[in-house]
Amino acid sequence: MTKPHVLLLGDVLHARAEWEALSDVATLSVCDSSTKEEFIKDLAGKYSDVAAVYHCHMDDAKPGANINQELLEALPPSLKFICHHGAGYDMIDVNACTRKGILVSNTPGAVDDATADVNMFLVLGALREFNLAMTNLRKGNWNAGVPLSHDPEGKVLGILGMGGIGRALKRRAQGFGMITQYHNRKPLSEEMAAGAKYVSFDELLATSDVISMNLPLNAHTRHIINKEAIAKMKDGVIIVNTARGPVIDEQALVDALESGKVRCAGLDVFEAEPKIHPGLLANEKVILLPHVGTATYETRKKMEITVINNIRSAITGAKLLNVVPEQIHFAP
Amino acid sequence: MTKPHVLLLGEIVHAKAEWEALSEVATLSVCDSSTKEEFIRDLAGKYSDVMAVYHCHMKDAKPGAIINKELIDALPPSLKFICHNGAGYDMVDVNACAKKGIIVSNTPGTVSDATADVGMFLILGALREFYPAMTSLRKGKWNMGAPISRDPEGKVLGILGMGGIGSAIKRRAEGFDMITQYHNPEPLSDELAAGAKYVSFDELLATSDVISLNLPLNAQTRHIINKDAFAKMKDGVVIVNTARGAIIDEQALVDALESRKVRCAGLDVFEAEPQIHPGLVANEKVILLPHVGTRTYETQKKMEIQVINNVRSAVTEAKLLNVVPEHISLVH
């Protein structure tokens, strides 16, 4: 009996042995289509019997990077599973997948620690305004012109979207004496909240000293932090984003930094990355990282293994281990 | 009865009200001597009845910055107490003070949180190699210069000198799932060690993934981290220093970074600060801060109040609240 066909869209860098081991249950192909048009042709040709896809977070220009309605219409009927490498999967039109009977998995859990580490680094870097100090030193000015800043101890950290990453952030923030509150669509159980106070969105905005974005990007959350939201925040608030750039209206953030409403920001993601608003680049106080949330050997390997395990489960058990929340009701 | 005379060497920036309140129990003077020679003359003149000094950490050139034997010989016999603003007091010759019957206090405790916050920021920044990622972004290259790096989770953090600051770093590191071990001249009680494993100096060097320097600078600890010490460390070790620059032989560190024995370093202090070894400034991996350990409004004020409390205790009860360890045996 022919083994099911699995297609890799992207690259497996760290868990190569685990990927190769899948060949005991599947035929493995690595997508070599050079353009989007060629990819569509290949989907009707050599990839027309693919059952499951290992999908990487790639540059928008790459074939298969964005799994939108147009691409979905070209996918072969045999394709039932898309296993995504990443916690965020906003580049996949999940509703369209559901309509076509395709289930999607992501990699929650595996990303939590590394992303929370970046998150806490940015919370500290923004509260303490370290970027200006570092830049000053490298220019040969030591600490001349570097103002005093503020301690995290006793400050209120407001987590918008306390899921796995948000909870990992809370654990870290506790060690620095911060008090955590959060807003989710619904309150968590006491066990999951682990002492964090549940508040409304408006209360989170009005009473937090530091606001951390830890929510997924979708139609409801795009620009959830906009001019109106910022106006409700405390004067001198700190904003940190390790989720997705478009949850913040970047122009509104630049304006608020200019007015001093937002004292400082720490960002790992940007609205139109890799392009960054020039107003942010010109600001020496803000601390900026180029989406390095999970960029470690250990975490990338864990993530790759999570995807490979989902593929294996799809092939051998016709189900996924980490179905995305939107599809939980449709999964067997 | 004349109130005792208290002399301020330096400046009170935040706790002005608390300083002025001392005038109920003391006559307050602010040192206005413009040169070291003038200061020596004033110590025999208008400051010749000073009983207690509030001593700030100042630039070497300032009168009274360095309390060495030469200056101590010129201090009036009335002077019994030097209350230092800072946890590190290596610029005060405590042995010469003891010989003259002068007791010294510092500001332990109040510095712990802010310094540990810097320490943990540098541990993350060095392990995750965030600095080249930040500079790559600022140069318009997005993440081209951002290496895949390492997670803190599961790594061994070796604290050399686990006192108040070292313990505060351990508490923070736990949130990142680091395992802490330490070396002190003697083991701490179980309660103070709080689960950290006591190891010999050589074992700390040989088995730690990250080594954090949290010990005071004195004759025994100067260059304790030298070429021989580096040779005993793990390949790819990460070094972090928030204590005093001269604890590390800076040339040896630059050599070890070049040979990749040391994968990365995070430094808030330098051997000859504000001068920094050009080999460090030229290194784009290391993360460097200009001695910002306690530079927040909240902590600076807490420290000033602690010194003022020591001065008040000296003036009203002839004793200090935070006698330096070397003088504990001199007081009852």
Side-chain angles (χ1 to χ4, degrees), chain A residues 122 130 258 269:
Chain A
L122 292 173
F130 284 146
E258 185 131 345
V269 287

PDB file of all heavy atoms in Angstrom, chain A residues 122 130 258 269:
ATOM      1  N   LEU A 122      12.084  42.710  27.261  1.00  0.00           N
ATOM      2  CA  LEU A 122      11.558  43.972  26.743  1.00  0.00           C
ATOM      3  C   LEU A 122      10.845  44.778  27.833  1.00  0.00           C
ATOM      4  O   LEU A 122      10.931  46.012  27.853  1.00  0.00           O
ATOM      5  CB  LEU A 122      10.611  43.712  25.568  1.00  0.00           C
ATOM      6  CG  LEU A 122      11.271  43.174  24.289  1.00  0.00           C
ATOM      7  CD1 LEU A 122      10.208  42.806  23.258  1.00  0.00           C
ATOM      8  CD2 LEU A 122      12.250  44.176  23.702  1.00  0.00           C
ATOM      9  N   PHE A 130      16.813  51.026  28.960  1.00  0.00           N
ATOM     10  CA  PHE A 130      18.185  50.578  28.770  1.00  0.00           C
ATOM     11  C   PHE A 130      18.723  50.885  27.377  1.00  0.00           C
ATOM     12  O   PHE A 130      19.939  50.985  27.194  1.00  0.00           O
ATOM     13  CB  PHE A 130      18.307  49.066  29.021  1.00  0.00           C
ATOM     14  CG  PHE A 130      18.288  48.680  30.482  1.00  0.00           C
ATOM     15  CD1 PHE A 130      17.696  47.486  30.878  1.00  0.00           C
ATOM     16  CD2 PHE A 130      18.875  49.476  31.456  1.00  0.00           C
ATOM     17  CE1 PHE A 130      17.682  47.098  32.223  1.00  0.00           C
ATOM     18  CE2 PHE A 130      18.879  49.096  32.801  1.00  0.00           C
ATOM     19  CZ  PHE A 130      18.276  47.911  33.178  1.00  0.00           C
ATOM     20  N   GLU A 258       5.817  60.251  21.140  1.00  0.00           N
ATOM     21  CA  GLU A 258       6.218  61.639  20.907  1.00  0.00           C
ATOM     22  C   GLU A 258       5.619  62.561  21.970  1.00  0.00           C
ATOM     23  O   GLU A 258       6.298  63.449  22.501  1.00  0.00           O
ATOM     24  CB  GLU A 258       5.759  62.066  19.525  1.00  0.00           C
ATOM     25  CG  GLU A 258       6.223  63.445  19.128  1.00  0.00           C
ATOM     26  CD  GLU A 258       6.839  63.434  17.736  1.00  0.00           C
ATOM     27  OE1 GLU A 258       7.147  62.337  17.218  1.00  0.00           O
ATOM     28  OE2 GLU A 258       7.026  64.521  17.176  1.00  0.00           O
ATOM     29  N   VAL A 269       7.780  42.738  17.466  1.00  0.00           N
ATOM     30  CA  VAL A 269       6.997  42.561  16.250  1.00  0.00           C
ATOM     31  C   VAL A 269       6.488  43.921  15.782  1.00  0.00           C
ATOM     32  O   VAL A 269       6.308  44.839  16.599  1.00  0.00           O
ATOM     33  CB  VAL A 269       5.807  41.607  16.494  1.00  0.00           C
ATOM     34  CG1 VAL A 269       6.293  40.166  16.639  1.00  0.00           C
ATOM     35  CG2 VAL A 269       4.992  42.024  17.694  1.00  0.00           C
TER      36      VAL A 269
END
